[in-house]
Every structure is written in C-alpha cells, then in structure tokens.
Amino acid sequence: MLGVDRERFFPSFSIEPLEEEFIAALQRQVVARGVRSMTELPQLQLLAVSGGGENGAFGAGMLCGWSAAGGRPTFDLVTGVSTGALSAPFAFLGQDYDRQLRDIYAETPSSQIVEKRSLIDVLFDDGLTDNAPLRGTIARYVDTSMLAAIAKAYDAGRLLLIATTDLDAQVPVIWNIGAIAKSGHPRAVDTVRNILLASAALPGIFPPTMFDVTVDGKPYQEMHVDGGTFTQTFLYPARLTRDKAGNPRASLPSFRGRAFLILNRRLNAQWTTVERRAYGIAIRAISTMVTAADYNDAIRIYHITQRDGIDYNLAYIGREFTEVAPAGFDARYMRTLFDYAYGKASRGYDWLREPAIL
C-alpha cells in the first residue's frame, strides 16, 4: 500500500476510522462553504452505484441523461462497487466528465474490456478471461488530471469510496480514493487504476488484482476481487450514524441528505429455460443470488436512510427494457441500454421512494 493516512477502511473490524473520515470531510465542507458549523451545511447529496457487469451502461445513461435534463446535483458522497466502481469517479466529478462516461459504456467494443482465454489457460490460470484490455481502458481515462480533480473535491469535503473484497481475509475493503489522490504519491494513479480493476474483477471470470503490502516488516500480496462478493451496493455503514433509538454512543452528527441508488440490474424476474446441465444450473443460480443481493441491499439502505431522516431515491432497469445481452459486454447491447436509460433520465426520471416490490 502507499502508506497514506486513511487510505482504506475495514468496516468488519472497526467503524471508527471511517467515522473519523466522515467527520473530517464535514469539517472540510464547513471551511470550504464558509459556514460556522456542520448544522449550517446544506442538504448533502449521496449517490451509490451498484455492480452489474455490462448493465453498468444503465447507470452511465442515467447520469448523462440526468445532466441533460438539468438538476443533477454535485454529490458529496459517491460509492461504487464492481461496474459501479468504474463509473463512480466520473459521477463524482460531475457532468464535465459525461463524455468520457458515455465513451466507456456506449462506445467501447468488448475487445477493449475482456479477452477470452484458451481452454488450456482457463484450466490453469486465474480467470476465464483476461482483463488486460480493461486495464488499458481504465488507464486511458484515469490519469493525473483526473486525480487532481478528485483531490480538489476531497479538499472541499467530498468523498469517493470504492469497495473491493480481500479474498484471502474474506473481508470487504473500502478505499478512500480522494485521500489517495490528495497524497500526491508517485504511485497514486496506478493504485487507483488497480482498485477500480479489482472492484470489477468477478471471481473466476476475471483475474484478481494483487496488492503489495507489508505486515510486521514482511512483504506479501493481498488478493482482491469484485466488491460485489460482499455487497452489490453500499452507501454508508448503519453503525456510522447516530442511533436515533437512544443508543448513548454518538458518532456522526445528524445531517440532512438525499440518497440516490442506481442499481444496474433488473429486479423483476426474468423467465428462461435453464439447460439441465451443471454449468447452466450454476450460472442461473448465481444470477438469481446476485439479483436477490441487489434487492436486499436496496431494502437495507432504505431502512438506514429512513432511520436517519434521509430522502431515498431508487432507479433500476425497468420491465419495459426487454433486450437480452447475447454475450458479456456486447457493445450493441450496452449502447441500447445506455440510450434507454438516457432517454428516461433526460425526460425527468420518476425515482422510486421505496424499494420496488418484486
């Protein structure tokens, strides 16, 4: 790791470092906005973007269409998981980065995302595909100028958080991209690229990303994969905010906020004939579990925001979108999905105020 203060957090072990960073961010906002205290801060704008593979084109289209419609806020907190991690930096930096976001999700051929491996490679390597093309695509967009913009936003009290999974330790890791960008470390750009690549590394499909760390003076490597292994969407941990039921442990001060969740997924059931073979059954079962996880995340975040008095808004791929991807990261499918979401958002999206009923 880079050794940057508050570079990453381990919520499974302790919430206090993340709590300290949230409070520090609010204090930076007080200074940046020229108000006297946190209680005078305007309503905070929060955004969570979920995983979903090629369905990330939905979130990209939503954000770009929202810009076209007007009224898209500058987000004080943006979180991303998996494909949501790839779009999160662009969402965080605002509509000036919509062109890049559109390019990635609506104009990039699948050959610049994944490369299939030979049968021999599949049997003996660490993934069914090679994500070297995706690494190159990330590198074209995530550069020193992007990190400088993220660092400036971090100074103003805004946070960009990306989740990966430490597969060796079986724990979620939340990366503080703003702190890394602000550090000016010579390896900061490469580290952020690796974090985004790791968060999108669906285990078994994409190779994991290895991070060099030192523990007790001894170097070793951590294996990181898709943050969706733990959660498809996150906003902030439930323990982070003050317990309004009377728990004496006070953490973050109460604040006014609007939370937007973009789920890059269909939540309604998708009927299909499942081939009676081990591979087909396994793939269908995994798909079902992931969809259920997305829905459960939406419910979990809904209850947290309702407890904390935060306005809840949800978007997901509707029943009317009937296109089916012929293969992973098919360019035509992603462009069609992007256009669908862009059209809905540009006309004024009707956000759901509570989780949809399946």
Side-chain angles (χ1 to χ4, degrees):
M1 295 299 96
L2 302 182
V4 174
D5 187 36
R6 295 175 184 163
E7 176 180 29
R8 58 181 185 163
F9 307 101
F10 299 90
S12 295
F13 301 141
S14 174
I15 202 65
E16 291 182 2
L18 185 57
E19 176 182 293
E20 292 170 359
E21 178 67 330
F22 269 75
I23 293 174
L26 290 176
Q27 290 170 339
R28 292 195 299 273
Q29 282 218 18
V30 168
V31 174
R33 294 181 181 273
V35 298
R36 290 175 297 181
S37 68
M38 295 182 193
T39 58
E40 294 184 5
L41 289 172
Q43 186 181 50
L44 299 181
Q45 308 296 321
L46 318 176
L47 172 69
V49 190
S50 83
E54 63 270 16
N55 286 332
F58 173 76
M62 278 289 301
L63 289 164
C64 293
W66 196 353
S67 297
R72 175 178 156 186
T74 296
F75 295 108
D76 300 289
L77 169 68
V78 175
T79 68
V81 178
S82 194
T83 190
L86 298 180
S87 59
F90 304 95
F92 182 72
L93 293 176
Q95 54 190 308
D96 288 346
Y97 283 76
D98 282 358
R99 179 68 261 179
Q100 295 95 315
L101 189 59
R102 176 190 292 270
D103 286 347
I104 292 174
Y105 282 98
E107 306 296 338
T108 301
S110 60
S111 61
Q112 293 181 23
I113 300 176
V114 295
E115 179 180 330
K116 292 182 179 180
R117 285 174 164 166
S118 68
L119 179 59
I120 297 298
D121 287 337
V122 167
L123 291 175
F124 296 100
D125 220 321
D126 53 4
L128 296 177
T129 62
D130 186 350
N131 61 358
L134 179 58
R135 180 185 293 274
T137 297
I138 292 173
R140 286 199 301 275
Y141 295 96
V142 179
D143 54 17
T144 54
S145 64
M146 172 179 269
L147 257 64
I150 292 173
K152 183 178 179 180
Y154 180 76
D155 279 340
R158 297 168 55 212
L159 294 177
L160 172 59
L161 304 177
I162 300 298
T164 66
T165 299
D166 181 340
L167 204 56
D168 295 313
Q170 291 187 316
V171 295
V173 179
I174 297 176
W175 299 83
N176 191 356
I177 305 301
I180 296 171
K182 175 65 178 175
S183 73
H185 195 286
R187 290 193 286 112
V189 173
D190 193 50
T191 298
V192 172
R193 290 169 177 170
N194 285 335
I195 291 167
L196 300 182
L197 189 68
S199 186
L202 184 64
I205 304 299
F206 293 132
T209 299
M210 309 303 293
F211 288 89
D212 295 322
V213 297
T214 302
V215 178
D216 297 329
K218 296 181 179 180
Y220 76 103
Q221 288 190 313
E222 292 177 353
M223 178 183 289
H224 284 248
V225 297
D226 194 331
T229 306
F230 258 92
T231 182
Q232 291 295 313
T233 321
F234 75 102
L235 191 62
Y236 56 83
R239 290 175 293 166
L240 190 65
T241 48
R242 175 174 296 163
D243 187 343
K244 307 217 172 162
N247 189 321
R249 179 181 178 274
S251 51
L252 272 180
S254 297
F255 59 88
R256 295 179 298 116
R258 285 196 305 169
F260 296 92
L261 276 68
I262 297 179
L263 299 189
N264 293 306
R265 195 84 61 184
R266 293 176 170 93
L267 293 184
N268 56 291
Q270 299 290 302
W271 191 92
T272 188
T273 300
V274 179
E275 186 178 8
R276 193 172 179 179
R277 293 180 181 272
Y279 178 79
I281 294 171
I283 291 298
R284 182 64 169 174
I286 291 171
S287 173
T288 303
M289 287 188 288
V290 170
T291 299
D294 255 324
Y295 184 62
N296 289 334
D297 285 339
I299 294 174
R300 171 178 53 82
I301 293 172
Y302 172 75
H303 286 293
I304 293 171
T305 56
Q306 295 308 290
R307 181 199 68 186
D308 294 340
I310 293 174
D311 186 32
Y312 177 94
N313 300 270
L314 172 68
Y316 66 95
I317 303 172
R319 294 175 182 270
E320 69 276 10
F321 185 78
T322 58
E323 293 282 334
V324 177
F329 302 99
D330 177 75
R332 190 199 66 81
Y333 171 83
M334 292 175 67
R335 186 161 51 252
T336 302
L337 180 55
F338 178 96
D339 290 342
Y340 157 79
Y342 182 93
K344 290 183 73 69
S346 63
R347 293 188 294 270
Y349 190 79
D350 186 16
W351 294 84
L352 277 75
R353 308 307 300 276
E354 59 184 23
I357 299 175
L358 294 180

